């Protein structure tokens, strides 16, 4: 009788160095797909959310429908959201991105709108008095002042997106979620734990990077003592 | 358009509503899981949050636990629990995962609600000679109720979503209709299941909206 191999893979342990070294390429590809899906959907969400928030700020009647629709979208569970998009996109990465964009919209629109509404009326009038037109007022005064609130929304949206990408495993585009899904079917503990930990690491890292960007974009918030 | 009519005929066929895999059975499972875990998580989270809020301690923990919950993928926790010894006990992993994701919003909202109670009111109640228990039950909890209820609503919607995902890890509930549809490569069934889940989530959200809207003034607070 030959002795079974005595490594952690054969014993199916949760923490396994041999898994990390032998599956490096698979892990790297999954991380890359995870980052691409997250980044693409949050950026698309931002591109759509800014005009929506500006419109909701400018025209009072637009605020209700915009906030209402995005809130309804946010209430729909992720698995159902991806499934509802199946007839439109089929089994593709676009389906995952589209679903994540819809989710990030709620958080982004709400926060950007709150930021725009918080711009003091005095500031706005001062800018008008200096001869700023509506476009320049928006681009040079209102949007920069809304950055802290918008960045708070962007951070929440990004962290949520990192976590929701895993559900994309249902259509085969879930980044690290694919590894969790296949690890579940084969009862592969090391793979499930490694992929899960990497998800959390990506979420925390993305949050810290965005926090850094926020600091760089809003130097005036650091000038006053807290 | 074709997929929609196919999904509609899937939904309206009587055979899909009865039996072990039927819609009624799955809906019952979903409702049961959501309600059971909502009660359990309230029993766990609310006493802790109310006491911490009353004492004014553990604020960092109570507020940050929501951010931590957001960073951890629900799907990962479901699968991790399934692979632990707990996975042998049927719905065990699902129930534990559901509670884990319902506790943070309950804890955070109840704690913040307790801390936002006007300090002057609290001091006045103390000055009237109220004991800590009276202060907690007669002053702080009633005033914090709007935010506590908001936490319960967020937790309920979260539970419906998590219970759907549990189907991916072999749990019951309406999500099973979707996963079975994917396994059968039947787009109409996937869409029909998704519509059921979405409607269920929106109904739960709507019920809580209505409860908050029609509750007595003092339970609604300023913004609801």
């Amino acid at each position: 009788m030959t002795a079974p191999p005595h490594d952690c893979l054969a014993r199916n342990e949760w923490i396994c160095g041999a898994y990390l070294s032998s599956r490096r390429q698979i892990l790297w590809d999954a991380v890359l797909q995870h980052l691409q899906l997250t980044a693409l959907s949050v950026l698309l969400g931002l591109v759509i959310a800014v005009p929506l928030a500006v419109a909701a700020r400018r025209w009072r009647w637009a605020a209700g429908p915009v906030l209402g629709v995005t809130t309804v979208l946010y209430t729909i569970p992720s698995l159902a959201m991806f499934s509802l998009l199946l007839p439109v996109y089929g089994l593709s990465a676009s389906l995952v991105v589209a679903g994540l964009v819809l989710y990030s919209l709620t958080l982004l629109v709400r926060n950007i709108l709150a930021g725009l509404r918080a711009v003091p009326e005095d500031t706005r009038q001062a800018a008008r008095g200096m001869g700023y037109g509506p476009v320049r007022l928006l681009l040079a005064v209102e949007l920069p002042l809304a950055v802290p609130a918008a960045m708070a929304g962007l951070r929440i949206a990004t962290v949520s997106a990192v976590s929701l990408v895993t559900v994309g495993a249902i259509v085969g585009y879930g980044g690290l979620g694919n590894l969790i899904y296949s690890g579940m079917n084969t009862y592969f503990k090391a793979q499930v734990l490694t992929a899960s930990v990497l998800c959390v690491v990506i979420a925390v890292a993305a949050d810290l990077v965005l926090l850094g960007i926020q600091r760089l974009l809003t130097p005036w918030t650091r000038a006053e003592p807290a | 358009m074709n997929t929609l009519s196919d999904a509609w005929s899937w939904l309206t066929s009587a055979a899909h509503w009865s039996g072990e895999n039927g819609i009624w059975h799955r809906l019952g499972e979903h409702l049961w899981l959501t309600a059971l875990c909502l009660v359990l998580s309230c029993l766990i989270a609310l006493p802790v949050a109310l006491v911490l809020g009353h004492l004014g301690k553990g604020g960092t923990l109570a507020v940050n636990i929501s951010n931590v919950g957001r960073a951890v993928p629900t799907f990962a926790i479901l699968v991790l629990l399934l692979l632990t010894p707990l996975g042998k006990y049927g719905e065990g992993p699902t129930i534990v995962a559901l509670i884990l994701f319902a506790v943070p919003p309950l804890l955070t909202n109840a704690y913040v609600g307790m801390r936002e109670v006007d300090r002057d009111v609290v001091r006045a109640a103390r000055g009237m000679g109220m004991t800590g228990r009276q202060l907690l039950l007669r002053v702080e909890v009633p005033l914090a109720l709007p935010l506590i209820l908001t936490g319960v609503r967020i937790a309920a919607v979260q539970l419906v979503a998590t219970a759907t995902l549990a189907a991916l890890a072999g749990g019951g509930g309406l999500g099973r209709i979707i996963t079975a549809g994917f396994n059968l490569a039947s787009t109409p069934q996937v869409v029909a299941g998704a519509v059921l889940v979405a409607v269920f989530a929106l109904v739960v959200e709507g019920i809580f909206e209505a409860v908050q809207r029609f509750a007595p003034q003092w339970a609604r607070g300023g913004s609801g």
Side-chain angles (χ1 to χ4, degrees), chain B residues 195-213:
Chain B
V195 169
L196 287 170
V197 170
V199 169
F200 187 79
L202 290 172
V203 166
V204 169
E205 167 92 3
I207 289 174
F208 277 94
E209 278 284 343
V211 167
Q212 280 188 315
R213 183 157 301 173

Side-chain angles (χ1 to χ4, degrees), chain B residues 17-66:
Chain B
W17 285 81
S18 54
E20 170 80 8
N21 295 316
I23 296 171
W24 286 125
H25 180 71
R26 295 300 182 202
L27 182 65
E29 281 179 335
H30 212 111
L31 204 56
W32 163 243
L33 272 176
T34 309
L36 173 75
C37 293
L38 186 60
V39 171
L40 288 176
S41 4
C42 283
L43 288 177
I44 295 168
L46 292 184
V48 175
L50 296 183
V51 169
L52 286 180
H54 175 69
L55 300 173
K57 285 186 178 141
T60 332
L61 174 81
V63 172
N64 285 322
I65 199 166
S66 277

Side-chain angles (χ1 to χ4, degrees), chain A residues 119-157:
Chain A
V119 175
E121 191 52 42
D122 290 349
T123 312
R124 216 172 274 138
Q125 279 178 2
R128 273 200 209 101
M130 286 169 70
Y132 278 42
V135 175
R136 192 153 166 233
L137 176 68
L138 178 71
L139 294 179
V141 177
E142 291 181 306
L143 283 177
L145 285 177
V147 164
M151 285 302 287
L154 190 64
R155 283 170 61 198
I156 299 177

Side-chain angles (χ1 to χ4, degrees), chain A residues 77 80 83 87 160 163 170 184 196, chain B residues 70 73 76 168 178 182 190-191 194 197:
Chain A
S83 305
S160 308
S163 145
I170 187 86
M184 173 183 79
S196 307
Chain B
R70 202 176 290 119
L168 275 180
I178 297 177
F182 271 107
V190 169
V191 174
V197 170

Side-chain angles (χ1 to χ4, degrees), chain B residues 102-134:
Chain B
V103 162
L106 286 168
L107 207 57
T108 305
N109 280 282
Y111 180 84
V112 171
M114 291 291 287
R115 293 315 295 164
E116 280 184 359
V117 171
D118 195 337
R119 289 297 106 190
D120 288 344
V121 176
V122 173
R123 273 191 288 265
R126 281 238 170 76
M128 286 167 65
M130 280 196 177
T131 63
R133 177 189 291 264
Q134 284 173 325

Side-chain angles (χ1 to χ4, degrees), chain A residues 1 16 47 49 54 68-69 79 90 101 113 118 121 136 164 168 172 179 192 205:
Chain A
M1 186 182 136
C16 181
V47 167
V54 169
V69 168
L79 188 60
V101 166
L113 187 58
E121 191 52 42
R136 192 153 166 233
L164 281 172
L179 297 182
V192 172

